[in-house]
Amino acid sequence: MTRVRTRVLAFAFLLAVVTYLDRICISAAAPSIMADLHLTFFQMSVVFSAFTLAYSLFEIPSGWLGDVIGPRRVLTRIVLWWSGFTMLTGAAFGFRSLLAIRFLFGAGEAGAFPNIARSFSQWFPRGERGRANGVMFLGSRMGGMLSAPIALWLVARAGWRMSFFLFGLLGLGWAAAWFAWYRDTPEAHGGVDAEEIAWIRHGDRERLRAQGSGHSPTPWRALLASRNLYAICAMYFAFGYGLYFYFTWLPTYLIKVLGFSRLATGFFGSLPFLLAGIADLVGGWLTDAWTRRHGLRAGRCYLGFTAFLTCAAFLLESTFVASPVVKAVLIAMALASADLALGACWAVPIDIAPDHAGVITGFMNTLGNIGGLIGPMVVGIAVDRWGSWTIPFYVTASIYAFGAFAWLAIDPALPISSRRSPPGSR
C-alpha cells in the first residue's frame, strides 16, 4: 500500500511550523517595537489583538471556502497573503500603521487550520485523525519554540524590522510546493493506489455516496441547531484565551517580571512549546487509542476534561510559588497539559461532520481566537491600571476550568446529519 497521506501530513506539519514562526515572532520583538514606536502596554495589547480579531472574523468564510472549492487553492492564497503582511510588519512607522498591518495579516491567515482539518477529513480515516492532528500541532509548537530564540537573535543582530522580512520569506516556498503537489482528494492524486484509498475510506460509506453527488451542501440549519457546535466553541474559547498569553506577553513577563536575562528568556520562552509539542504527540496517540478501546466520548471528551482541568491547576499553582524558575516551569507545564487535548479538539469536528470539517472548525477556531483577542487585552489592562500580573492568571485558570466542563457537554458520536429528520417522519 502507498502512504501518500504521510506526505500530506508532512505538508501540514511544515505549514504549522511556518504559521507559528510568523505569528509569534512579534511577541519576542515586542520590547524593541514598543521602545522604537513609543507604544504603551495597552497599545501593544491592542496590536496583538488586532491580528486575532481579523483572524476570528474570517475563519468561518475561509473554512467554508475550503469545503466548497478545496484546500489546495484556498491554502495557497492564505499562505501567500500572510507571508506578504509578515514582511510588511517591518515597515510599520507608528501605532496606526502597525495596527492596520497586523489586522490584514490576521485576515489573510484565517482559515489555515480549518482547511488542514478539511484536508485530513479526506486523507485520513477516523482511527488516524487524532495522531495526524497531534503531529501537525507538534509543528505549531516547534514553530513557537523556535520563534522566541530566533527572533531574539535576529532582533539583536539585524533589528526587528529585518527579522519580519526574513520570517515572511518562509511561506513562499511552501505555497509553491503545496499547489504543485497536493490534490483535494486521494482519488485525484496520481501517486495513491487503490489499497490506500480503500484504507482511508474503510467504513465511510456516507462519504463515498457524497463524493458521487459532488459537493455536499452545508447543512446550516442542522449545524446551528446542534448542541455539539456550541459546546465545541465554548471549549475552544477557553483554549484560545489561555494560549494567546504564550504568543504575546510571555517574553515580556519573563524579562520584566521574573527578571530573566535575554538568554534565559529564550530558553523559558521556548520551554512551553517544547513540552506542548511532546504533549501533542502523546495526546494524539491517546485520543485515538482510547477511542478504539473505550469509544469516542472517552477518547475525546474525558481526555479533554482532564487536560484542561490540570492546566487550570498548574496556572493557579504558579501564582503561589516564589521562585521565578518554578513559576516559568509551571506556566510551561500548563500549556503542555492543555495541548494534551489538542488532537482531540480538532478530531471532534471531523467526527461529527467530516464533509463540513472546514466550516465546523472555522466556527471552533473563531471562538478560540475571540478568546485570544480578549486574553492579551486583559493582561494589558491589568498591568496598566493595577500593576498586576497575578489577576490575569486567576482569570485564565477559571476560564480553563469552564472549558473542562464544556468538554463534558460534547457528544462526538452524534453527527450533524443525525439532526435532520428522516423522510416521511413529519
Side-chain angles (χ1 to χ4, degrees):
M1 177 172 72
T2 58
R3 296 186 64 85
V4 177
R5 65 192 185 282
T6 61
R7 299 178 195 173
V8 174
L9 184 56
F11 268 102
F13 175 87
L14 292 173
L15 176 72
V17 172
V18 176
T19 300
Y20 277 70
L21 279 171
D22 287 354
R23 187 185 299 186
I24 302 174
C25 61
I26 194 171
S27 66
S32 298
I33 295 172
M34 292 170 70
D36 192 17
L37 302 183
H38 308 291
L39 305 181
T40 66
F41 273 94
F42 181 71
Q43 285 177 317
M44 197 66 209
S45 69
V46 172
V47 169
F48 289 148
S49 295
F51 159 82
T52 318
L53 173 62
Y55 194 88
S56 302
L57 290 174
F58 290 94
E59 272 288 273
I60 296 172
S62 295
W64 171 80
L65 199 61
D67 286 339
V68 174
I69 68 173
R72 180 171 176 251
R73 286 185 286 171
V74 176
L75 272 175
T76 302
R77 189 275 303 165
I78 286 172
V79 178
L80 291 176
W81 179 294
W82 99 51
S83 298
F85 280 97
T86 298
M87 296 178 187
L88 279 175
T89 302
F93 51 83
F95 171 66
R96 292 182 180 179
S97 61
L98 183 61
L99 189 67
I101 290 168
R102 296 306 289 182
F103 181 89
L104 292 171
F105 169 70
E109 190 174 312
F113 288 104
N115 274 274
I116 286 295
R118 170 65 180 181
S119 175
F120 283 178
S121 76
Q122 292 288 336
W123 278 88
F124 290 90
R126 173 178 289 178
E128 295 179 355
R129 290 171 188 163
R131 283 172 288 172
N133 280 296
V135 171
M136 179 184 67
F137 283 106
L138 169 65
S140 73
R141 300 315 180 236
M142 284 188 65
M145 179 182 70
L146 296 172
S147 180
I150 292 175
L152 288 168
W153 181 81
L154 282 175
V155 169
R157 293 296 182 94
W160 67 270
R161 296 182 184 276
M162 180 57 69
S163 68
F164 281 99
F165 178 79
L166 295 174
F167 275 118
L169 292 174
L170 297 173
L172 303 182
W174 187 95
W178 171 262
F179 189 78
W181 181 85
Y182 178 77
R183 297 296 180 267
D184 288 324
T185 64
E187 290 83 357
H189 197 290
V192 183
D193 66 10
E195 190 175 356
E196 185 175 13
I197 291 173
W199 173 260
I200 293 169
R201 304 302 184 206
H202 175 68
D204 206 355
R205 297 185 181 90
E206 185 176 338
R207 166 67 55 77
L208 292 173
R209 285 197 299 271
Q211 285 182 345
S213 59
H215 169 67
S216 176
T218 304
W220 292 107
R221 181 176 297 180
L223 181 64
L224 295 174
S226 171
R227 186 188 72 179
N228 269 339
L229 176 67
Y230 299 102
I232 288 170
C233 288
M235 168 272 293
Y236 213 66
F237 173 88
F239 182 83
Y241 184 96
L243 178 66
Y244 269 79
F245 172 78
Y246 298 89
F247 294 167
T248 54
W249 288 119
L250 179 60
T252 304
Y253 176 75
L254 295 173
I255 293 171
K256 294 186 175 293
V257 180
L258 300 188
F260 288 126
S261 66
R262 189 173 291 272
L263 180 62
T265 297
F267 173 76
F268 285 110
S270 300
L271 183 63
F273 299 102
L274 172 63
L275 298 181
I278 296 170
D280 288 329
L281 286 179
V282 174
W285 176 82
L286 275 177
T287 186
D288 285 343
W290 287 11
T291 294
R292 287 193 300 270
R293 295 176 186 176
H294 308 294
L296 275 171
R297 185 163 178 80
R300 309 295 195 225
C301 303
Y302 296 162
L303 175 64
F305 172 81
T306 304
F308 276 35
L309 206 59
T310 305
C311 171
F314 280 134
L315 287 175
L316 278 178
E317 181 64 22
S318 75
T319 66
F320 296 121
V321 299
S323 167
V325 171
V326 177
K327 281 182 180 288
V329 170
L330 285 170
I331 291 169
M333 291 173 65
L335 180 61
S337 179
D339 264 39
L340 193 69
L342 196 52
C345 290
W346 285 81
V348 161
I350 304 174
D351 293 334
I352 66 172
D355 285 319
H356 310 288
V359 72
I360 297 281
T361 53
F363 272 103
M364 180 184 82
N365 216 19
T366 293
L367 267 292
N369 281 279
I370 288 174
L373 173 91
I374 297 170
M377 296 188 72
V378 170
V379 174
I381 291 169
V383 173
D384 267 354
R385 294 189 179 181
W386 305 302
S388 173
W389 288 84
T390 304
I391 291 173
F393 282 110
Y394 290 154
V395 174
T396 304
S398 300
I399 289 174
Y400 265 118
F402 162 77
F405 287 96
W407 266 112
L408 300 182
I410 299 170
D411 183 358
L414 180 64
I416 291 293
S417 59
S418 71
R419 295 285 185 178
R420 297 176 179 174
S421 299
S425 63
R426 292 184 180 180

